Amino acid sequence: MKTKLNAIASALLLLLAPAAMAANVAVITLENGANVRLKDDFTWEYIITETVTQPVQAAKADITEQTNGVIPPAITPAASVGAVTTPVAQTVAAPTAPAVNTQVATTRLTAAALAQPELLGSTAKDGIKITLADTKWKGDKLGLVFDFDSTSNEHVTVVEVEVSFYNDNGALLKTEKLEAWEAIFRMPETYLRKGQHRQSDTIWVEGVNKQQWQKQLISLKIIEIESR
């Protein structure tokens, strides 16, 4: 599959060479229904998310303010007969605020990604591949363990990853940046080198609801690689 995608990407890039400034060259649909975005640096990625706009009915609560005014009774001399004014309550009602229709945009996984969760949990950039290897819980904290494979000629010291968590229905729960790999300063044996398969320490994350994350839907994006 990857060899076929690389061949398609190379062919399209040769045809579209004058448009070298474009970051995204084309989007193609595979036989399994997944969409793939081809880029001008001869790389590709699965399109796993979409933005959905939904109407939301928002209305302010009705607020009724009542003001009671009481007129005190008149005092008359004992010899005279006078009428006593009866207290009168006055009510002022504030108008009801009209309902307002608003549009809210949310990010969620595509139908293809939900149907094929194997598209998630792994990504690669500049010869560094990262894959979610294991998860564990400590109370409300979620522990993540990643596998790393390197074909890069660089000695990698830091790999920063953007991790997005989705609930079991595919809606985005949260996104967080993590240093998934961090070597120890001046300890070359901790560097990630070409041909190595290494595993990260457990990285703890807060704010993920365990009950909503039973399917462990997660996407990874490498945003920075540091090397020596």
Side-chain angles (χ1 to χ4, degrees):
M1 177 67 70
K2 292 184 178 180
T3 303
K4 181 178 179 180
L5 285 172
N6 289 334
I8 294 174
S10 299
L12 284 173
L13 287 168
L14 289 175
L15 291 173
L16 302 175
M21 295 301 292
N24 299 325
V25 174
V27 173
I28 62 174
T29 302
L30 305 180
E31 295 177 356
N32 60 7
N35 291 325
V36 173
R37 181 183 293 112
L38 306 180
K39 298 188 176 183
D40 61 358
D41 58 355
F42 292 88
T43 62
W44 56 272
E45 64 181 3
Y46 286 110
I47 300 175
I48 61 172
T49 61
E50 60 185 357
T51 300
V52 179
T53 302
Q54 297 177 333
V56 175
Q57 188 76 10
K60 295 182 178 180
D62 295 345
I63 300 176
T64 302
E65 180 181 355
Q66 295 185 348
T67 304
N68 294 327
V70 179
I71 302 176
I75 300 176
T76 59
S80 62
V81 179
V84 177
T85 304
T86 303
V88 178
Q90 296 179 345
T91 302
V92 179
T96 302
V100 179
N101 290 324
T102 60
Q103 298 290 325
V104 176
T106 59
T107 299
R108 59 178 300 108
L109 294 173
T110 63
L114 284 172
Q116 304 173 78
E118 64 273 13
L119 301 179
L120 309 173
S122 182
T123 189
K125 180 180 179 181
D126 297 340
I128 303 299
K129 180 181 179 180
I130 177 175
T131 303
L132 179 65
D134 193 17
T135 63
K136 59 188 72 174
W137 290 92
K138 182 191 294 183
D140 293 333
K141 294 183 178 180
L142 170 62
L144 305 175
V145 179
F146 299 102
D147 279 342
F148 285 88
D149 293 278
S150 175
T151 58
S152 172
N153 293 321
E154 303 292 336
H155 300 160
V156 176
T157 57
V158 173
V159 179
E160 187 175 8
V161 182
E162 184 179 84
V163 184
S164 297
F165 302 86
Y166 302 87
N167 68 16
D168 293 344
N169 295 321
L172 179 65
L173 290 174
K174 67 171 298 186
T175 297
E176 187 167 336
K177 293 180 181 179
L178 304 174
E179 286 195 354
W181 183 266
E182 184 177 11
I184 302 174
F185 183 64
R186 291 185 177 179
M187 292 187 64
E189 65 271 19
T190 65
Y191 299 170
L192 181 61
R193 301 177 186 273
K194 184 176 182 178
Q196 287 186 333
H197 174 83
R198 304 280 292 271
Q199 194 168 82
S200 72
D201 296 330
T202 302
I203 302 172
W204 296 99
V205 178
E206 297 182 1
V208 178
N209 188 314
K210 184 177 182 180
Q211 300 304 318
Q212 297 181 1
W213 203 65
Q214 296 296 310
K215 295 182 180 180
Q216 299 188 1
L217 300 175
I218 188 174
S219 68
L220 308 174
K221 180 181 180 180
I222 297 176
I223 55 178
E224 186 175 357
I225 298 175
E226 296 181 10
S227 57
R228 293 187 182 277

